[in-house]
mmCIF file of all heavy atoms in Angstrom:
data_model
loop_
_atom_site.group_PDB
_atom_site.id
_atom_site.type_symbol
_atom_site.label_atom_id
_atom_site.label_comp_id
_atom_site.label_asym_id
_atom_site.label_seq_id
_atom_site.Cartn_x
_atom_site.Cartn_y
_atom_site.Cartn_z
ATOM 1 N N ASP L 300 0.819 -1.215 0.000
ATOM 2 C CA ASP L 300 0.000 0.000 0.000
ATOM 3 C C ASP L 300 0.852 1.262 0.000
ATOM 4 O O ASP L 300 0.412 2.319 -0.455
ATOM 5 C CB ASP L 300 -0.931 0.008 1.219
ATOM 6 C CG ASP L 300 -2.037 -1.030 1.113
ATOM 7 O OD1 ASP L 300 -2.253 -1.543 -0.006
ATOM 8 O OD2 ASP L 300 -2.664 -1.339 2.142
ATOM 9 N N LEU L 301 2.076 1.149 0.522
ATOM 10 C CA LEU L 301 2.973 2.307 0.566
ATOM 11 C C LEU L 301 3.784 2.480 -0.716
ATOM 12 O O LEU L 301 4.357 3.546 -0.948
ATOM 13 C CB LEU L 301 3.945 2.164 1.745
ATOM 14 C CG LEU L 301 3.350 2.249 3.148
ATOM 15 C CD1 LEU L 301 4.393 1.863 4.184
ATOM 16 C CD2 LEU L 301 2.816 3.643 3.436
ATOM 17 N N THR L 302 3.831 1.443 -1.552
ATOM 18 C CA THR L 302 4.641 1.491 -2.763
ATOM 19 C C THR L 302 4.197 2.637 -3.670
ATOM 20 O O THR L 302 3.008 2.824 -3.930
ATOM 21 C CB THR L 302 4.529 0.165 -3.555
ATOM 22 O OG1 THR L 302 4.927 -0.902 -2.698
ATOM 23 C CG2 THR L 302 5.430 0.192 -4.766
ATOM 24 N N ASP L 303 5.179 3.395 -4.150
ATOM 25 C CA ASP L 303 4.932 4.519 -5.059
ATOM 26 C C ASP L 303 4.046 5.592 -4.448
ATOM 27 O O ASP L 303 3.465 6.416 -5.164
ATOM 28 C CB ASP L 303 4.286 4.039 -6.379
ATOM 29 C CG ASP L 303 5.177 3.070 -7.123
ATOM 30 O OD1 ASP L 303 6.406 3.225 -7.057
ATOM 31 O OD2 ASP L 303 4.638 2.134 -7.752
ATOM 32 N N TYR L 304 3.908 5.567 -3.129
ATOM 33 C CA TYR L 304 3.114 6.595 -2.460
ATOM 34 C C TYR L 304 4.070 7.580 -1.825
ATOM 35 O O TYR L 304 4.858 7.237 -0.948
ATOM 36 C CB TYR L 304 2.208 5.973 -1.404
ATOM 37 C CG TYR L 304 1.131 6.921 -0.903
ATOM 38 C CD1 TYR L 304 -0.060 7.073 -1.598
ATOM 39 C CD2 TYR L 304 1.328 7.660 0.250
ATOM 40 C CE1 TYR L 304 -1.033 7.938 -1.148
ATOM 41 C CE2 TYR L 304 0.361 8.530 0.709
ATOM 42 C CZ TYR L 304 -0.826 8.658 0.004
ATOM 43 O OH TYR L 304 -1.792 9.528 0.443
ATOM 44 N N ASP L 305 4.037 8.814 -2.269
ATOM 45 C CA ASP L 305 4.986 9.830 -1.810
ATOM 46 C C ASP L 305 4.577 10.318 -0.435
ATOM 47 O O ASP L 305 3.604 11.060 -0.286
ATOM 48 C CB ASP L 305 5.014 10.993 -2.807
ATOM 49 C CG ASP L 305 6.125 11.989 -2.478
ATOM 50 O OD1 ASP L 305 7.033 11.620 -1.713
ATOM 51 O OD2 ASP L 305 6.069 13.117 -2.991
ATOM 52 N N LEU L 306 5.308 9.893 0.570
ATOM 53 C CA LEU L 306 4.956 10.221 1.936
ATOM 54 C C LEU L 306 5.880 11.279 2.520
ATOM 55 O O LEU L 306 7.078 11.228 2.349
ATOM 56 C CB LEU L 306 5.050 8.979 2.821
ATOM 57 C CG LEU L 306 4.063 7.843 2.536
ATOM 58 C CD1 LEU L 306 4.391 6.668 3.428
ATOM 59 C CD2 LEU L 306 2.649 8.304 2.780
ATOM 60 N N GLU L 307 5.302 12.188 3.203
ATOM 61 C CA GLU L 307 6.076 13.142 3.998
ATOM 62 C C GLU L 307 5.427 13.188 5.363
ATOM 63 O O GLU L 307 4.442 13.888 5.578
ATOM 64 C CB GLU L 307 6.084 14.529 3.357
ATOM 65 C CG GLU L 307 7.023 15.486 4.073
ATOM 66 C CD GLU L 307 7.181 16.811 3.329
ATOM 67 O OE1 GLU L 307 6.932 16.841 2.116
ATOM 68 O OE2 GLU L 307 7.542 17.801 3.985
ATOM 69 N N ALA L 308 5.921 12.367 6.271
ATOM 70 C CA ALA L 308 5.291 12.204 7.575
ATOM 71 C C ALA L 308 5.293 13.523 8.347
ATOM 72 O O ALA L 308 6.293 14.242 8.360
ATOM 73 C CB ALA L 308 6.025 11.131 8.383
ATOM 74 N N PRO L 309 4.164 13.856 9.005
ATOM 75 C CA PRO L 309 4.124 15.071 9.811
ATOM 76 C C PRO L 309 5.080 14.977 10.982
ATOM 77 O O PRO L 309 5.288 13.907 11.558
ATOM 78 C CB PRO L 309 2.665 15.118 10.296
ATOM 79 C CG PRO L 309 2.188 13.702 10.221
ATOM 80 C CD PRO L 309 2.915 13.094 9.061
ATOM 81 N N MET L 310 5.676 16.086 11.325
ATOM 82 C CA MET L 310 6.633 16.117 12.426
ATOM 83 C C MET L 310 5.912 16.401 13.735
ATOM 84 O O MET L 310 5.106 17.323 13.820
ATOM 85 C CB MET L 310 7.684 17.200 12.176
ATOM 86 C CG MET L 310 8.591 16.916 10.994
ATOM 87 S SD MET L 310 9.568 15.410 11.245
ATOM 88 C CE MET L 310 10.614 15.939 12.608
ATOM 89 N N PRO L 311 6.177 15.604 14.771
ATOM 90 C CA PRO L 311 5.564 15.870 16.069
ATOM 91 C C PRO L 311 6.175 17.106 16.703
ATOM 92 O O PRO L 311 7.289 17.500 16.362
ATOM 93 C CB PRO L 311 5.888 14.610 16.878
ATOM 94 C CG PRO L 311 7.122 14.080 16.258
ATOM 95 C CD PRO L 311 7.028 14.418 14.799
ATOM 96 N N PRO L 312 5.456 17.731 17.647
ATOM 97 C CA PRO L 312 5.990 18.929 18.307
ATOM 98 C C PRO L 312 7.088 18.559 19.291
ATOM 99 O O PRO L 312 7.263 17.396 19.650
ATOM 100 C CB PRO L 312 4.762 19.472 19.046
ATOM 101 C CG PRO L 312 3.980 18.238 19.384
ATOM 102 C CD PRO L 312 4.169 17.318 18.195
ATOM 103 N N SER L 313 7.818 19.557 19.726
ATOM 104 C CA SER L 313 8.842 19.293 20.730
ATOM 105 C C SER L 313 8.209 19.012 22.083
ATOM 106 O O SER L 313 8.773 18.304 22.909
ATOM 107 C CB SER L 313 9.768 20.511 20.859
ATOM 108 O OG SER L 313 9.017 21.670 21.201
ATOM 109 N N HIS L 314 7.002 19.535 22.314
ATOM 110 C CA HIS L 314 6.345 19.311 23.608
ATOM 111 C C HIS L 314 4.901 19.783 23.533
ATOM 112 O O HIS L 314 4.601 20.808 22.966
ATOM 113 C CB HIS L 314 7.063 20.103 24.705
ATOM 114 C CG HIS L 314 6.394 19.995 26.050
ATOM 115 N ND1 HIS L 314 6.578 18.912 26.877
ATOM 116 C CD2 HIS L 314 5.530 20.816 26.691
ATOM 117 C CE1 HIS L 314 5.872 19.090 27.984
ATOM 118 N NE2 HIS L 314 5.233 20.236 27.892
ATOM 119 N N TRP L 315 3.989 18.937 24.028
ATOM 120 C CA TRP L 315 2.649 19.414 24.402
ATOM 121 C C TRP L 315 2.026 18.388 25.333
ATOM 122 O O TRP L 315 2.246 17.199 25.211
ATOM 123 C CB TRP L 315 1.749 19.689 23.216
ATOM 124 C CG TRP L 315 1.297 18.504 22.396
ATOM 125 C CD1 TRP L 315 1.016 17.221 22.812
ATOM 126 C CD2 TRP L 315 1.062 18.515 20.993
ATOM 127 N NE1 TRP L 315 0.636 16.447 21.779
ATOM 128 C CE2 TRP L 315 0.640 17.207 20.637
ATOM 129 C CE3 TRP L 315 1.151 19.486 19.992
ATOM 130 C CZ2 TRP L 315 0.316 16.862 19.344
ATOM 131 C CZ3 TRP L 315 0.822 19.132 18.713
ATOM 132 C CH2 TRP L 315 0.418 17.844 18.395
ATOM 133 N N GLY L 316 1.261 18.894 26.288
ATOM 134 C CA GLY L 316 0.653 17.977 27.244
ATOM 135 C C GLY L 316 1.711 17.199 27.993
ATOM 136 O O GLY L 316 2.796 16.987 27.498
ATOM 137 N N ASP L 317 1.459 16.774 29.177
ATOM 138 C CA ASP L 317 2.423 15.958 29.901
ATOM 139 C C ASP L 317 1.716 15.163 30.977
ATOM 140 O O ASP L 317 0.486 15.196 31.103
ATOM 141 C CB ASP L 317 3.545 16.814 30.495
ATOM 142 C CG ASP L 317 3.040 17.928 31.400
ATOM 143 O OD1 ASP L 317 1.884 17.841 31.845
ATOM 144 O OD2 ASP L 317 3.803 18.867 31.672
ATOM 145 N N THR L 318 2.495 14.447 31.745
ATOM 146 C CA THR L 318 1.937 13.571 32.771
ATOM 147 C C THR L 318 1.119 14.345 33.786
ATOM 148 O O THR L 318 0.071 13.879 34.242
ATOM 149 C CB THR L 318 3.081 12.820 33.477
ATOM 150 O OG1 THR L 318 3.820 12.088 32.504
ATOM 151 C CG2 THR L 318 2.537 11.863 34.527
ATOM 152 N N ARG L 319 1.569 15.542 34.150
ATOM 153 C CA ARG L 319 0.858 16.331 35.164
ATOM 154 C C ARG L 319 -0.575 16.622 34.747
ATOM 155 O O ARG L 319 -1.505 16.541 35.553
ATOM 156 C CB ARG L 319 1.608 17.636 35.443
ATOM 157 C CG ARG L 319 2.885 17.466 36.227
ATOM 158 C CD ARG L 319 3.476 18.807 36.625
ATOM 159 N NE ARG L 319 3.842 19.601 35.464
ATOM 160 C CZ ARG L 319 4.989 19.519 34.839
ATOM 161 N NH1 ARG L 319 5.905 18.650 35.246
ATOM 162 N NH2 ARG L 319 5.263 20.278 33.794
ATOM 163 N N GLN L 320 -0.774 16.977 33.464
ATOM 164 C CA GLN L 320 -2.126 17.272 32.993
ATOM 165 C C GLN L 320 -3.004 16.027 32.997
ATOM 166 O O GLN L 320 -4.177 16.079 33.360
ATOM 167 C CB GLN L 320 -2.070 17.889 31.597
ATOM 168 C CG GLN L 320 -1.554 19.328 31.613
ATOM 169 C CD GLN L 320 -1.244 19.828 30.215
ATOM 170 O OE1 GLN L 320 -0.508 19.193 29.482
ATOM 171 N NE2 GLN L 320 -1.800 20.975 29.859
ATOM 172 N N HIS L 321 -2.422 14.900 32.601
ATOM 173 C CA HIS L 321 -3.172 13.647 32.601
ATOM 174 C C HIS L 321 -3.615 13.297 34.022
ATOM 175 O O HIS L 321 -4.779 12.957 34.261
ATOM 176 C CB HIS L 321 -2.282 12.541 32.020
ATOM 177 C CG HIS L 321 -3.040 11.299 31.670
ATOM 178 N ND1 HIS L 321 -2.553 10.355 30.805
ATOM 179 C CD2 HIS L 321 -4.241 10.810 32.083
ATOM 180 C CE1 HIS L 321 -3.421 9.364 30.673
ATOM 181 N NE2 HIS L 321 -4.453 9.619 31.454
ATOM 182 N N VAL L 322 -2.685 13.362 34.964
ATOM 183 C CA VAL L 322 -2.990 13.031 36.353
ATOM 184 C C VAL L 322 -3.991 14.020 36.939
ATOM 185 O O VAL L 322 -4.927 13.644 37.652
ATOM 186 C CB VAL L 322 -1.699 12.993 37.195
ATOM 187 C CG1 VAL L 322 -2.022 12.778 38.668
ATOM 188 C CG2 VAL L 322 -0.776 11.898 36.695
ATOM 189 N N PHE L 323 -3.824 15.326 36.626
ATOM 190 C CA PHE L 323 -4.727 16.349 37.155
ATOM 191 C C PHE L 323 -6.164 16.103 36.711
ATOM 192 O O PHE L 323 -7.091 16.118 37.531
ATOM 193 C CB PHE L 323 -4.264 17.736 36.697
ATOM 194 C CG PHE L 323 -5.273 18.827 36.994
ATOM 195 C CD1 PHE L 323 -5.406 19.325 38.277
ATOM 196 C CD2 PHE L 323 -6.095 19.326 35.988
ATOM 197 C CE1 PHE L 323 -6.345 20.314 38.549
ATOM 198 C CE2 PHE L 323 -7.032 20.314 36.251
ATOM 199 C CZ PHE L 323 -7.153 20.809 37.540
ATOM 200 N N TYR L 324 -6.365 15.869 35.408
ATOM 201 C CA TYR L 324 -7.723 15.660 34.919
ATOM 202 C C TYR L 324 -8.304 14.343 35.431
ATOM 203 O O TYR L 324 -9.518 14.228 35.651
ATOM 204 C CB TYR L 324 -7.755 15.700 33.395
ATOM 205 C CG TYR L 324 -7.713 17.109 32.843
ATOM 206 C CD1 TYR L 324 -6.634 17.553 32.096
ATOM 207 C CD2 TYR L 324 -8.748 17.995 33.089
ATOM 208 C CE1 TYR L 324 -6.586 18.849 31.605
ATOM 209 C CE2 TYR L 324 -8.720 19.290 32.612
ATOM 210 C CZ TYR L 324 -7.634 19.716 31.864
ATOM 211 O OH TYR L 324 -7.591 20.996 31.385
ATOM 212 N N GLY L 325 -7.452 13.339 35.641
ATOM 213 C CA GLY L 325 -7.930 12.099 36.234
ATOM 214 C C GLY L 325 -8.437 12.314 37.644
ATOM 215 O O GLY L 325 -9.501 11.805 38.027
ATOM 216 N N ALA L 326 -7.688 13.089 38.441
ATOM 217 C CA ALA L 326 -8.102 13.388 39.810
ATOM 218 C C ALA L 326 -9.386 14.217 39.821
ATOM 219 O O ALA L 326 -10.307 13.965 40.616
ATOM 220 C CB ALA L 326 -6.982 14.129 40.544
ATOM 221 N N LEU L 327 -9.485 15.205 38.933
ATOM 222 C CA LEU L 327 -10.668 16.065 38.873
ATOM 223 C C LEU L 327 -11.908 15.265 38.470
ATOM 224 O O LEU L 327 -12.993 15.438 39.047
ATOM 225 C CB LEU L 327 -10.426 17.200 37.878
ATOM 226 C CG LEU L 327 -11.510 18.279 37.775
ATOM 227 C CD1 LEU L 327 -11.682 18.983 39.120
ATOM 228 C CD2 LEU L 327 -11.154 19.302 36.693
ATOM 229 N N TYR L 328 -11.746 14.398 37.498
ATOM 230 C CA TYR L 328 -12.849 13.550 37.039
ATOM 231 C C TYR L 328 -13.389 12.702 38.189
ATOM 232 O O TYR L 328 -14.608 12.628 38.407
ATOM 233 C CB TYR L 328 -12.330 12.656 35.907
ATOM 234 C CG TYR L 328 -13.320 11.663 35.335
ATOM 235 C CD1 TYR L 328 -14.238 12.044 34.364
ATOM 236 C CD2 TYR L 328 -13.314 10.328 35.749
ATOM 237 C CE1 TYR L 328 -15.129 11.130 33.818
ATOM 238 C CE2 TYR L 328 -14.200 9.412 35.215
ATOM 239 C CZ TYR L 328 -15.101 9.815 34.247
ATOM 240 O OH TYR L 328 -15.982 8.913 33.715
ATOM 241 N N HIS L 329 -12.497 12.086 38.957
ATOM 242 C CA HIS L 329 -12.939 11.236 40.062
ATOM 243 C C HIS L 329 -13.477 12.074 41.228
ATOM 244 O O HIS L 329 -14.324 11.599 41.996
ATOM 245 C CB HIS L 329 -11.796 10.334 40.522
ATOM 246 C CG HIS L 329 -11.523 9.204 39.581
ATOM 247 N ND1 HIS L 329 -10.576 9.285 38.586
ATOM 248 C CD2 HIS L 329 -12.101 7.979 39.448
ATOM 249 C CE1 HIS L 329 -10.567 8.157 37.898
ATOM 250 N NE2 HIS L 329 -11.472 7.361 38.391
ATOM 251 N N TRP L 330 -13.032 13.310 41.372
ATOM 252 C CA TRP L 330 -13.583 14.187 42.405
ATOM 253 C C TRP L 330 -15.062 14.425 42.163
ATOM 254 O O TRP L 330 -15.878 14.358 43.094
ATOM 255 C CB TRP L 330 -12.832 15.520 42.416
ATOM 256 C CG TRP L 330 -13.239 16.419 43.556
ATOM 257 C CD1 TRP L 330 -12.661 16.501 44.787
ATOM 258 C CD2 TRP L 330 -14.323 17.368 43.561
ATOM 259 N NE1 TRP L 330 -13.313 17.437 45.562
ATOM 260 C CE2 TRP L 330 -14.336 17.986 44.837
ATOM 261 C CE3 TRP L 330 -15.273 17.753 42.628
ATOM 262 C CZ2 TRP L 330 -15.272 18.947 45.191
ATOM 263 C CZ3 TRP L 330 -16.219 18.711 42.976
ATOM 264 C CH2 TRP L 330 -16.212 19.309 44.238
ATOM 265 N N PHE L 331 -15.439 14.702 40.915
ATOM 266 C CA PHE L 331 -16.853 14.923 40.597
ATOM 267 C C PHE L 331 -17.678 13.660 40.837
ATOM 268 O O PHE L 331 -18.828 13.734 41.279
ATOM 269 C CB PHE L 331 -17.010 15.383 39.144
ATOM 270 C CG PHE L 331 -16.702 16.831 38.932
ATOM 271 C CD1 PHE L 331 -15.549 17.216 38.267
ATOM 272 C CD2 PHE L 331 -17.541 17.821 39.414
ATOM 273 C CE1 PHE L 331 -15.244 18.554 38.081
ATOM 274 C CE2 PHE L 331 -17.255 19.171 39.229
ATOM 275 C CZ PHE L 331 -16.101 19.538 38.561
ATOM 276 N N ILE L 332 -17.123 12.507 40.573
ATOM 277 C CA ILE L 332 -17.845 11.261 40.823
ATOM 278 C C ILE L 332 -18.027 11.047 42.327
ATOM 279 O O ILE L 332 -19.068 10.575 42.786
ATOM 280 C CB ILE L 332 -17.107 10.067 40.193
ATOM 281 C CG1 ILE L 332 -17.005 10.237 38.680
ATOM 282 C CG2 ILE L 332 -17.824 8.757 40.519
ATOM 283 C CD1 ILE L 332 -16.191 9.169 37.990
ATOM 284 N N MET L 333 -17.028 11.424 43.109
ATOM 285 C CA MET L 333 -17.103 11.255 44.558
ATOM 286 C C MET L 333 -18.148 12.158 45.195
ATOM 287 O O MET L 333 -18.914 11.735 46.058
ATOM 288 C CB MET L 333 -15.732 11.541 45.188
ATOM 289 C CG MET L 333 -14.693 10.462 44.985
ATOM 290 S SD MET L 333 -13.057 11.011 45.549
ATOM 291 C CE MET L 333 -13.384 11.479 47.241
ATOM 292 N N PHE L 334 -18.196 13.429 44.758
ATOM 293 C CA PHE L 334 -18.977 14.425 45.485
ATOM 294 C C PHE L 334 -20.202 14.953 44.741
ATOM 295 O O PHE L 334 -20.967 15.736 45.308
ATOM 296 C CB PHE L 334 -18.065 15.603 45.861
ATOM 297 C CG PHE L 334 -16.944 15.221 46.774
ATOM 298 C CD1 PHE L 334 -15.639 15.194 46.314
ATOM 299 C CD2 PHE L 334 -17.190 14.854 48.085
ATOM 300 C CE1 PHE L 334 -14.591 14.831 47.151
ATOM 301 C CE2 PHE L 334 -16.155 14.493 48.934
ATOM 302 C CZ PHE L 334 -14.854 14.483 48.475
ATOM 303 N N ALA L 335 -20.414 14.563 43.495
ATOM 304 C CA ALA L 335 -21.552 15.110 42.739
ATOM 305 C C ALA L 335 -22.254 14.042 41.912
ATOM 306 O O ALA L 335 -22.784 14.326 40.840
ATOM 307 C CB ALA L 335 -21.058 16.247 41.835
ATOM 308 N N ASN L 336 -22.280 12.818 42.425
ATOM 309 C CA ASN L 336 -22.759 11.699 41.601
ATOM 310 C C ASN L 336 -24.127 11.148 42.032
ATOM 311 O O ASN L 336 -24.515 10.066 41.607
ATOM 312 C CB ASN L 336 -21.738 10.559 41.634
ATOM 313 C CG ASN L 336 -21.701 9.784 40.342
ATOM 314 O OD1 ASN L 336 -21.643 10.365 39.263
ATOM 315 N ND2 ASN L 336 -21.735 8.450 40.440
ATOM 316 N N ARG L 337 -24.873 11.893 42.842
ATOM 317 C CA ARG L 337 -26.149 11.392 43.348
ATOM 318 C C ARG L 337 -27.146 11.099 42.236
ATOM 319 O O ARG L 337 -28.014 10.238 42.381
ATOM 320 C CB ARG L 337 -26.753 12.396 44.328
ATOM 321 C CG ARG L 337 -25.999 12.493 45.649
ATOM 322 C CD ARG L 337 -26.695 13.419 46.616
ATOM 323 N NE ARG L 337 -25.990 13.513 47.885
ATOM 324 C CZ ARG L 337 -26.386 14.259 48.901
ATOM 325 N NH1 ARG L 337 -27.495 15.007 48.781
ATOM 326 N NH2 ARG L 337 -25.698 14.286 50.028
ATOM 327 N N ALA L 338 -27.033 11.813 41.138
ATOM 328 C CA ALA L 338 -27.978 11.615 40.024
ATOM 329 C C ALA L 338 -27.729 10.303 39.286
ATOM 330 O O ALA L 338 -28.519 9.933 38.418
ATOM 331 C CB ALA L 338 -27.886 12.786 39.053
ATOM 332 N N PHE L 339 -26.644 9.610 39.620
ATOM 333 C CA PHE L 339 -26.300 8.356 38.945
ATOM 334 C C PHE L 339 -26.184 7.234 39.983
ATOM 335 O O PHE L 339 -25.079 6.758 40.273
ATOM 336 C CB PHE L 339 -24.986 8.511 38.173
ATOM 337 C CG PHE L 339 -25.015 9.585 37.116
ATOM 338 C CD1 PHE L 339 -24.712 10.907 37.440
ATOM 339 C CD2 PHE L 339 -25.345 9.277 35.799
ATOM 340 C CE1 PHE L 339 -24.745 11.906 36.465
ATOM 341 C CE2 PHE L 339 -25.374 10.251 34.826
ATOM 342 C CZ PHE L 339 -25.082 11.574 35.154
ATOM 343 N N PRO L 340 -27.301 6.798 40.553
ATOM 344 C CA PRO L 340 -27.260 5.857 41.680
ATOM 345 C C PRO L 340 -26.726 4.470 41.333
ATOM 346 O O PRO L 340 -26.274 3.746 42.223
ATOM 347 C CB PRO L 340 -28.728 5.778 42.106
ATOM 348 C CG PRO L 340 -29.505 6.113 40.872
ATOM 349 C CD PRO L 340 -28.681 7.156 40.172
ATOM 350 N N HIS L 341 -26.759 4.086 40.071
ATOM 351 C CA HIS L 341 -26.335 2.742 39.687
ATOM 352 C C HIS L 341 -24.938 2.709 39.058
ATOM 353 O O HIS L 341 -24.530 1.681 38.515
ATOM 354 C CB HIS L 341 -27.340 2.135 38.700
ATOM 355 C CG HIS L 341 -28.724 1.992 39.271
ATOM 356 N ND1 HIS L 341 -29.041 1.052 40.220
ATOM 357 C CD2 HIS L 341 -29.860 2.705 39.022
ATOM 358 C CE1 HIS L 341 -30.325 1.168 40.541
ATOM 359 N NE2 HIS L 341 -30.842 2.155 39.830
ATOM 360 N N PHE L 342 -24.224 3.829 39.145
ATOM 361 C CA PHE L 342 -22.889 3.868 38.535
ATOM 362 C C PHE L 342 -21.958 2.854 39.179
ATOM 363 O O PHE L 342 -21.892 2.722 40.402
ATOM 364 C CB PHE L 342 -22.285 5.267 38.664
ATOM 365 C CG PHE L 342 -20.819 5.323 38.306
ATOM 366 C CD1 PHE L 342 -20.415 5.177 36.991
ATOM 367 C CD2 PHE L 342 -19.850 5.469 39.297
ATOM 368 C CE1 PHE L 342 -19.069 5.206 36.654
ATOM 369 C CE2 PHE L 342 -18.505 5.506 38.967
ATOM 370 C CZ PHE L 342 -18.118 5.366 37.642
ATOM 371 N N LYS L 343 -21.220 2.127 38.331
ATOM 372 C CA LYS L 343 -20.195 1.191 38.791
ATOM 373 C C LYS L 343 -18.899 1.484 38.049
ATOM 374 O O LYS L 343 -18.889 1.520 36.815
ATOM 375 C CB LYS L 343 -20.613 -0.254 38.506
ATOM 376 C CG LYS L 343 -21.826 -0.733 39.266
ATOM 377 C CD LYS L 343 -22.052 -2.231 39.064
ATOM 378 C CE LYS L 343 -22.233 -2.578 37.605
ATOM 379 N NZ LYS L 343 -22.503 -4.030 37.406
ATOM 380 N N PRO L 344 -17.797 1.704 38.778
ATOM 381 C CA PRO L 344 -16.509 1.927 38.085
ATOM 382 C C PRO L 344 -16.096 0.662 37.338
ATOM 383 O O PRO L 344 -16.425 -0.454 37.746
ATOM 384 C CB PRO L 344 -15.541 2.256 39.225
ATOM 385 C CG PRO L 344 -16.166 1.686 40.451
ATOM 386 C CD PRO L 344 -17.650 1.757 40.242
ATOM 387 N N HIS L 345 -15.387 0.863 36.220
ATOM 388 C CA HIS L 345 -14.980 -0.285 35.413
ATOM 389 C C HIS L 345 -13.693 -0.932 35.925
ATOM 390 O O HIS L 345 -13.241 -1.935 35.372
ATOM 391 C CB HIS L 345 -14.803 0.130 33.950
ATOM 392 C CG HIS L 345 -13.710 1.129 33.717
ATOM 393 N ND1 HIS L 345 -13.883 2.466 33.964
ATOM 394 C CD2 HIS L 345 -12.440 0.983 33.279
ATOM 395 C CE1 HIS L 345 -12.768 3.106 33.675
ATOM 396 N NE2 HIS L 345 -11.867 2.230 33.256
ATOM 397 N N ARG L 346 -13.111 -0.354 36.968
ATOM 398 C CA ARG L 346 -11.905 -0.928 37.564
ATOM 399 C C ARG L 346 -12.224 -1.506 38.937
ATOM 400 O O ARG L 346 -13.286 -1.252 39.506
ATOM 401 C CB ARG L 346 -10.810 0.136 37.662
ATOM 402 C CG ARG L 346 -10.349 0.621 36.298
ATOM 403 C CD ARG L 346 -9.433 1.815 36.408
ATOM 404 N NE ARG L 346 -9.052 2.304 35.081
ATOM 405 C CZ ARG L 346 -8.526 3.499 34.846
ATOM 406 N NH1 ARG L 346 -8.298 4.331 35.852
ATOM 407 N NH2 ARG L 346 -8.217 3.875 33.620
ATOM 408 N N ASP L 347 -11.269 -2.257 39.500
ATOM 409 C CA ASP L 347 -11.507 -2.949 40.761
ATOM 410 C C ASP L 347 -11.581 -1.996 41.947
ATOM 411 O O ASP L 347 -12.276 -2.265 42.925
ATOM 412 C CB ASP L 347 -10.402 -3.984 41.017
ATOM 413 C CG ASP L 347 -10.442 -5.115 40.006
ATOM 414 O OD1 ASP L 347 -11.526 -5.374 39.451
ATOM 415 O OD2 ASP L 347 -9.378 -5.734 39.761
#
């Protein structure tokens, strides 16, 4: 499929997003589930 196909792969950036942002949004997401989840009485987390 790549034969005779002129490719110029896009270059990734030197930096965007990082572990801190991933961890922060994960913590924030679970905070809302902990303290604002009364409207979802049957919610079950998909992890143990």
Side-chain angles (χ1 to χ4, degrees):
D300 290 345
L301 292 171
T302 303
D303 299 326
Y304 194 84
D305 188 17
L306 294 175
E307 187 172 338
M310 293 297 293
S313 58
H314 176 81
W315 68 34
D317 56 18
T318 302
R319 287 188 298 274
Q320 287 169 307
H321 194 161
V322 175
F323 170 77
Y324 282 115
L327 185 61
Y328 178 83
H329 285 94
W330 186 92
F331 281 108
I332 299 175
M333 286 171 56
F334 298 109
N336 212 48
R337 290 184 180 180
F339 300 87
H341 299 288
F342 169 71
K343 295 188 301 182
H345 64 281
R346 295 171 183 164
D347 294 335

